[in-house]
Amino acid sequence: MTVRVGVIGAGWIGKEHIRRLTDTVTGARVTAVTDIDAARAEEAAAEVGARALPDGAAVVAADDVDAVLVTSWGPTHAEHVLNAVAAGKPVFCEKPLATTAEDCLRIVEAETAHGRRLVQVGFMRRYDAGYRQMKQVIDAGRIGEPLIVHCAHRNPTVPESYTSEMAALDTAVHEVDVLRWLLDDEIVSTQVITPRSTSKRFAHLKDPQIMLFETARGVRIDLEVFVNCRYGYDIQCEAVGEEGLVRLPDPAAVGVRTAARHSTEVLTDWVGRFRDAFDTEFREWIASAAAGDEPTGPTAWDGYAATVITAATVEALRSGRVVATDLKPRPAFYGGAA
């Protein structure tokens, strides 16, 4: 079956996913588009032969929409996801699931009351081949029990609108999700250390930042977030266990030897680094929707956890203290203790 997708939000990422669903993923067709900018919605819809609709509620209610993709402004996510759950339609929501823990819990409660998983959150790193290989190694016990994880998330530069708090909310949120998944463990505390700032930043920004997390089983995680590193977009992850370690591979690149130097290219943005992961993410989401199965990707509970942990990290940045995440117990509906 072809899954007819309604898209709420036709900004850059919305248009990128419309292209992906149209040109890359089989079994999907975009049939409806809306955006706060009506002209932008009309343009995006016309490019793929879809209808432009006046608002998100109209997209969710449309008879020719089987599944909903939410790529609008973050504070609007909760409203659209809740509408999709009420309509009984699968919904893929780009991160964040919601901007407050309270709204995330409203979604969790609505989905639990519905009795079946409908919500998937767009944490694409779980679909990256390198991270999936790391997950297989850790789950198979090949490095023994994990003890320490070292991570780095580096961007060449960020715009002036980027704030110190966004290092947690927009950047480290990807590590927060993928590390919870890799370790099958929960983050219980967070701390932020601010070393000497780079002179390449805007004056208002604390950059780099070192984030320290502790999990329920005592694994210690250090994450360097450096968003003005200048040299490229660089994602690193290394898990150290009792019997060995596993390291995330760098993207494949040819080695060039010339002028007495040996060099390899470094990517410059997240689009190139995770393009294949995005494609895999949407292929698997569409396949589950077409089969009438529950989505297998990050859940509404994962979205809640990421929002709570990153909010605690912002508090840690501002206060200079170690901050407990104070996550609520995971419901049995999402694999928690009965």
Side-chain angles (χ1 to χ4, degrees):
M1 101 177 235
T2 296
V3 178
R4 300 169 297 177
V5 180
V7 180
I8 301 173
W12 186 89
I13 192 65
K15 291 178 73 173
E16 177 69 8
H17 289 335
I18 289 171
R19 179 205 60 75
R20 179 169 284 108
L21 289 167
T22 303
D23 298 338
T24 304
V25 177
T26 59
R29 180 163 62 90
V30 175
T31 53
V33 180
T34 194
D35 191 86
I36 192 169
D37 182 336
R40 187 162 60 189
E42 290 278 2
E43 179 185 1
E47 289 177 355
V48 294
R51 295 187 296 150
L53 295 180
D55 53 36
V59 169
V60 171
D63 290 338
D64 61 348
V65 168
D66 305 310
V68 178
L69 170 60
V70 178
T71 52
S72 54
W73 186 44
T76 69
H77 286 187
E79 172 192 353
H80 301 315
V81 173
L82 285 166
N83 284 343
V85 171
K89 295 184 178 183
V91 53
F92 183 107
C93 181
E94 273 297 351
K95 61 89 178 169
L97 175 63
T99 53
T100 68
E102 292 75 19
D103 276 347
C104 288
L105 287 175
R106 289 173 61 209
I107 294 168
V108 164
E109 290 162 3
E111 189 177 44
T112 302
H114 179 76
R116 187 172 184 275
R117 274 198 59 203
L118 293 170
V119 180
Q120 178 164 327
V121 185
F123 290 118
M124 77 319 208
R125 291 207 189 170
R126 298 190 188 197
Y127 298 87
D128 176 73
Y131 277 113
R132 286 187 160 186
Q133 290 167 18
M134 289 186 72
K135 175 74 168 167
Q136 291 168 0
V137 168
I138 292 170
D139 286 353
R142 291 176 58 190
I143 65 168
E145 288 295 326
L147 306 173
I148 306 168
V149 183
H150 306 292
C151 300
H153 187 143
R154 304 184 184 114
N155 292 58
T157 188
V158 289
E160 191 169 6
S161 58
Y162 190 98
T163 65
S164 296
E165 291 77 11
M166 290 170 69
L169 299 174
D170 281 25
T171 301
V173 64
H174 289 288
E175 275 79 14
V176 165
D177 178 74
V178 82
L179 291 169
R180 293 177 59 252
W181 171 73
L182 275 178
L183 299 171
D184 192 22
D185 199 358
E186 197 53 85
I187 293 171
V188 297
S189 73
T190 175
Q191 180 181 6
V192 180
I193 297 171
T194 52
R196 176 183 177 181
S197 287
T198 173
S199 64
K200 308 300 183 182
R201 78 199 192 286
F202 290 105
H204 66 272
L205 184 60
K206 294 178 179 178
D207 183 48
Q209 298 177 29
I210 299 172
M211 301 175 185
L212 305 176
F213 303 109
E214 183 178 6
T215 75
R217 294 204 291 265
V219 178
R220 286 287 188 169
I221 300 163
D222 58 83
L223 166 60
E224 170 204 323
V225 176
F226 187 12
V227 295
N228 288 281
C229 78
R230 298 290 163 163
Y231 70 83
Y233 181 77
D234 191 9
I235 302 300
Q236 299 293 325
C237 183
E238 178 181 87
V240 181
E242 294 177 311
E243 300 174 13
L245 64 83
V246 58
R247 181 179 295 124
L248 182 71
D250 287 328
V254 297
V256 178
R257 295 172 186 260
T258 183
R261 294 179 182 272
H262 181 195
S263 63
T264 56
E265 181 179 314
V266 177
L267 294 173
T268 58
D269 60 43
W270 57 270
V271 179
R273 173 63 179 83
F274 290 111
R275 180 180 289 109
D276 290 346
F278 276 116
D279 292 348
T280 301
E281 174 185 49
F282 273 88
R283 286 190 185 101
E284 294 189 11
W285 178 60
I286 289 297
S288 66
D293 296 333
E294 294 185 350
T296 58
T299 66
W301 184 259
D302 294 319
Y304 159 75
T307 294
V308 170
I309 293 165
T310 53
T313 305
V314 169
E315 181 183 344
L317 170 68
R318 292 171 175 169
S319 69
R321 297 184 291 107
V322 177
V323 176
T325 57
D326 290 331
L327 286 163
K328 293 185 179 297
R330 184 196 300 258
F333 185 80
Y334 298 101

